[in-house]
Every structure is written in C-alpha cells, then in structure tokens.
Amino acid sequence: MNKTASIIIAIGLVIGIGFILSNKKNVEEVTKAPQIEQSYIKDGVQYIPIIAKGGYLPRTSIAQSDIPTKLVVKTNGTYDCSSSLVIRSLNYQKILPNTGETIIDVGTPKDGEKLLGLCSMGMYSFEVAFKV
C-alpha cells in the first residue's frame, strides 16, 4: 500500500471515530433532557406542567377548556431569564425560585382561548391553547 492510501485511510478512521463519539454525546444529552409531563386532572382541576430552564418546555400545549386550570412551572437550577415569567393575560409577573414549583391559577379558560407565557426579555415563550 502506498503512502497516499495510508493517509486517506487514517483520515477516514479519525473522521469515523469522531462521528461515532459525537453521536454518542448527542444520545447522552437527549436522555438527560428533562421529561415533559402531560397535563392531568386531579380533584376537578387541570394541571399543566411547564419546565422553565433555558426556555420553556413544552413550547406549545393543548389543554381542555371549561375546567379550572393551574400551571405548574418547574425550575431546577434555573438562573437564566426563563426564571422571570410574565403572563400578560393574567397580569402575572414574577421571578421564579431557582429550584422548585410555582403554581399559577389560570381560572377557567374558554374554548379557543390561548395563554402566552414569556420571559421578561421576550426571548423565550410558551403557549397553551384551550379546546373542548
């Protein structure tokens, strides 16, 4: 085998190993991502979980209308602007705890209403659409 072929094979191996290692890191990051809970109803009240850290998850949700509803905003080591939550339709503005849960009473949304939450800088947002 000549020198050029050996160099090409060596470069191919380095690129291949780098690709495999970078994919392993991506898989690890996905498995470490926070698990998004689904909305649930308990004692006649609908709870909508939102994770606040580096933005809001889920970014969009669909929830049931015509039922008393509360947001459950969860933080875990949140030190970015998503800890400063603004919900204009509720006249709500608060700095969330760095770690913990904040429960926000949304009232009883009607069919077709939307709830928009933003960080105080407007960089991150989430939306909940209410349907029958």
Side-chain angles (χ1 to χ4, degrees):
M1 186 168 11
N2 66 27
K3 188 175 180 179
T4 304
S6 297
I7 292 173
I8 291 172
I9 290 172
I11 291 172
L13 285 172
V14 169
I15 291 171
I17 290 171
F19 180 75
I20 290 169
L21 292 177
S22 70
N23 278 344
K24 181 181 178 190
K25 183 179 178 185
N26 289 342
V27 168
E28 288 172 357
E29 287 174 3
V30 168
T31 58
K32 289 181 185 176
Q35 297 299 313
I36 300 172
E37 294 178 45
Q38 298 295 318
S39 299
Y40 59 94
I41 297 173
K42 181 180 177 184
D43 299 326
V45 177
Q46 175 175 226
Y47 293 89
I48 303 170
I50 302 287
I51 297 170
K53 186 171 184 177
Y56 301 104
L57 291 175
R59 296 240 2 227
T60 58
S61 302
I62 297 175
Q64 186 176 331
S65 62
D66 303 316
I67 184 170
T69 301
K70 295 184 181 191
L71 291 179
V72 181
V73 184
K74 299 179 180 188
T75 53
N76 186 6
T78 303
Y79 296 96
D80 56 53
C81 68
S82 60
S83 67
S84 178
L85 179 59
V86 177
I87 304 173
R88 291 189 181 119
S89 63
L90 300 177
N91 210 16
Y92 182 91
Q93 184 170 352
K94 185 175 179 185
I95 304 293
L96 303 171
N98 300 107
T99 299
E101 287 187 359
T102 302
I103 298 178
I104 304 166
D105 190 350
V106 176
T108 306
K110 302 294 177 210
D111 184 40
E113 285 186 16
K114 291 186 178 182
L115 181 73
L116 178 64
L118 301 162
C119 71
S120 60
M121 294 177 58
M123 289 176 46
Y124 303 121
S125 66
F126 67 88
E127 180 181 89
V128 181
F130 294 94
K131 298 186 180 197
V132 176

